[in-house]
Amino acid sequence: MKKILVTGGLGFIGSHTVVELQAEGYEVVVIDNLNNSRKEVKISIEEISGKTFELKVADVTNSIALNELFEEHKFEGVIHFAAHKAVGESVENPVSYYQNNLSGLVSLLGAMEKQGVSNLIFSSSCTVYGATTDLPVTEKTVIQKAESPYGTTKILGEEIINDYAKHKDFKSILLRYFNPVGAHPSAKIGELPLGVPNNLVPYITQTAAGIRKQLTVFGDDYNTIDGTCIRDYIHVVDLAKAHVKALAYCNEMKQPVDVFNVGTGKGNTVLEVIHAFEHSNNIKLAYTVGARRGGDVEQIFADTTKVNELLGWHAHYDIADMMKHAWAWQQNLK
Ligand code: UD1
């Protein structure tokens, strides 16, 4: 059985990916520092898949712990999720982003090299395209200067991998995620935002649950159909499945590194998301329109031709499913 190491495997995207890997017959080992996840997520994953997996509670920046893990197991590949991901927090504390996201990647490459493990799937982000006007964005769209330390760590992470793979026998796929939302249809795993959520969908579900008084729509004076920003929301289960496809592709690809956008190819405005939530769940949401949020791009959505054709991956769920599953998960959290 092929054994895969998943860093950050108890997090939002990581946990859903572990489920999909197990469903495809992979044996999984997870390393997670529980910084932004809970140990109980392991039990929920195992309930869904009916299979167990080994969890090492440690930080990916801890080379000693990583090397131990690589000595104990023969991994066929690594999926690297473990990273900080809040744009605002990265502006407040850039060093912790360089430390965690960049040192984590470098420690991982070191441990992989020591044991001759040469396949890596890396979590990148559409944030690398910045405020592009080249829409929908293809993988050839020019990468812009990052607007936040978080974005910098994604651009530099991609660059380190590209550079490393030039000099070593190494294969890597960079997945540029658009906006991952939703939850597993079983409602057993989903997003666990700590404190006040920054992202739209957890804020919506917490408002519907009465945890937040009302949602603020950040600006309605953008040049879009209803004046609110457009994003390409992708169901987390679809995104998880893209990682399994990427692993298989990694083994057969000719060049050392390849990059794929992972989105639905369809943009939705903030108001469309709110209305989809209300409609799918038969709930009236308390919201108000406020000022623009600094650093937000007006619109971004993916051209998914490459991921569709080369990975044979297609998004299955639509925005209504994403809202239904996100709400079922929120209700389960109570
Ligand atoms: C950002 C990053 C993305 C990162 C993600 C994870 C960019 C371009 N994107 O996505 O790379 O992976 O965060 O944290 O940097 N909104 C509201 N009210 C709210 C919250 C959000 O109106 O209370 C709006 C935002 O203005 C935006 C949309 O909802 O238009 C989505 O926002 P959010 O969920 O925070 O994701 P991004 O900022 O797109």
Side-chain angles (χ1 to χ4, degrees):
M1 198 192 280
K2 287 187 173 177
K3 204 185 269 189
I4 304 298
L5 176 66
V6 182
T7 77
L10 298 191
F12 178 41
I13 308 168
S15 58
H16 290 81
T17 302
V18 173
V19 167
E20 297 305 323
L21 285 168
Q22 291 186 309
E24 288 298 316
Y26 288 96
E27 185 178 345
V28 177
V29 175
V30 166
I31 179 167
D32 197 302
N33 66 2
L34 304 179
N35 171 62
N36 193 17
S37 58
R38 291 191 202 143
K39 220 171 176 174
E40 303 83 74
V41 173
K42 181 177 192 290
I43 300 163
S44 306
I45 294 171
E46 291 172 344
E47 271 176 25
I48 298 171
S49 67
K51 294 175 185 166
T52 58
F53 63 90
E54 181 181 321
L55 166 67
K56 185 166 183 99
V57 178
D59 203 295
V60 276
T61 59
N62 178 348
S63 292
I64 296 168
L66 266 184
N67 285 329
E68 271 173 19
L69 204 55
F70 276 82
E71 277 159 24
E72 284 163 28
H73 300 276
K74 172 94 197 81
F75 295 119
E76 298 276 332
V78 178
I79 306 184
H80 181 41
F81 293 108
H84 292 333
K85 61 162 188 177
V87 176
E89 182 188 72
S90 80
V91 175
E92 299 285 309
N93 197 353
V95 171
S96 113
Y97 274 68
Y98 310 144
Q99 175 76 26
N100 192 54
N101 295 7
L102 295 176
S103 298
L105 173 63
V106 174
S107 305
L108 186 61
L109 292 177
M112 290 176 75
E113 184 173 320
K114 250 189 178 157
Q115 296 300 325
V117 181
S118 57
N119 289 346
L120 176 71
I121 312 298
F122 177 70
S123 304
S124 189
S125 165
C126 69
T127 198
V128 302
Y129 299 117
T132 184
T133 47
D134 182 16
L135 292 169
V137 288
T138 73
E139 290 78 359
K140 291 203 171 86
T141 297
V142 178
I143 287 182
Q144 308 264 352
K145 252 181 143 37
E147 305 230 354
S148 69
Y150 162 76
T152 302
T153 66
K154 291 301 170 191
I155 294 173
L156 291 179
E158 288 196 4
E159 202 154 314
I160 288 169
I161 291 168
N162 272 304
D163 191 57
Y164 180 72
K166 256 193 256 163
H167 306 292
K168 293 283 173 179
D169 178 21
F170 196 72
K171 295 252 166 107
S172 181
I173 292 188
L174 317 173
L175 296 180
R176 292 182 182 150
Y177 310 154
F178 281 67
N179 284 57
V181 298
H184 196 268
S186 66
K188 288 182 192 290
I189 53 173
E191 198 167 1
L192 281 171
L194 292 178
V196 183
N198 294 305
N199 296 116
L200 178 63
V201 176
Y203 210 105
I204 289 177
T205 59
Q206 289 197 5
T207 304
I211 302 167
R212 311 281 154 214
K213 229 171 105 209
Q214 67 176 2
L215 169 80
T216 302
V217 175
F218 295 142
D220 68 351
D221 56 351
Y222 288 98
N223 186 24
T224 62
I225 40 167
D226 58 24
T228 66
C229 291
I230 292 176
R231 296 288 182 274
D232 184 339
Y233 296 91
I234 170 85
H235 196 294
V236 64
V237 170
D238 281 331
L239 178 57
K241 287 179 197 280
H243 292 78
V244 183
K245 294 275 192 189
L247 260 186
Y249 187 78
C250 208
N251 276 316
E252 56 188 61
M253 70 182 186
K254 301 278 180 290
Q255 75 270 40
V257 181
D258 210 347
V259 52
F260 295 93
N261 287 338
V262 193
T264 61
K266 188 179 175 335
N268 281 112
T269 67
V270 176
L271 288 177
E272 282 171 349
V273 174
I274 292 171
H275 296 142
F277 179 85
E278 292 185 321
H279 190 73
S280 304
N281 299 306
N282 204 14
I283 289 173
K284 197 95 201 82
L285 196 75
Y287 70 89
T288 177
V289 175
R292 290 182 176 196
R293 178 172 71 175
D296 270 338
V297 302
E298 178 175 281
Q299 48 183 314
I300 188 155
F301 48 97
D303 181 312
T304 60
T305 312
K306 190 175 172 190
V307 70
N308 295 157
E309 287 180 359
L310 294 187
L311 292 196
W313 171 92
H314 293 87
H316 168 73
Y317 292 110
D318 64 15
I319 195 80
D321 301 316
M322 298 178 212
M323 295 303 117
K324 217 181 294 162
H325 296 157
W327 178 232
W329 162 245
Q330 176 71 54
Q331 287 172 297
N332 239 9
L333 273 176
K334 279 186 188 168

